[in-house]
Amino acid sequence: MPVEPLSQKETEDRLAGLPGWSLDGDRLTRSYRLGSHFAATAMVVHVAQVQEELDHHSDLTLGYDTVALSVHTHSAGGAVTEKDFELARRVEDLAPGHGAH
């Protein structure tokens, strides 16, 4: 079943419920700061696990004490879809456990 792109209004409404996330062009993005490189690395592994569970993958960047995500749905022509928001919500749920802010 194809995934449908969200309208600009739907995207904005969903973003209102995800503080820290923003729309950068055609992608949802968010950066987190963590207490150490080890904490950031552990969060990357946890996010990768969630992405495998959802079968939906972001561009995931590890810095010294930062983690950045950028996501859109390739099968919807590179548009933002509900799948992207599901991943964002899952990452938001796990981030505090890693001390991310």
Side-chain angles (χ1 to χ4, degrees), residues 2-101:
V3 180
E4 295 297 319
L6 296 174
S7 70
Q8 185 69 29
K9 171 103 171 79
E10 290 170 320
T11 299
E12 290 170 3
D13 289 348
R14 285 171 174 77
L15 274 173
L18 286 171
W21 286 85
S22 61
L23 189 62
D24 184 9
D26 63 349
R27 293 174 167 266
L28 291 183
T29 63
R30 172 80 152 94
S31 293
Y32 296 91
R33 182 164 302 277
L34 293 97
S36 68
H37 182 66
F38 186 80
T41 302
M43 183 171 165
V44 165
V45 171
H46 199 169
V47 170
Q49 180 183 26
V50 168
Q51 292 180 144
E52 284 296 305
E53 290 171 11
L54 296 175
D55 191 26
H56 191 58
H57 302 84
S58 68
D59 290 337
L60 186 57
T61 306
L62 171 64
Y64 170 72
D65 62 354
T66 60
V67 173
L69 293 95
S70 174
V71 64
H72 64 182
T73 303
H74 296 284
S75 63
V80 174
T81 68
E82 186 56 43
K83 289 178 76 168
D84 303 307
F85 280 98
E86 182 178 0
L87 176 59
R89 283 188 292 274
R90 293 278 303 270
V91 172
E92 279 299 298
D93 289 346
L94 68 83
H98 293 279
H101 59 280

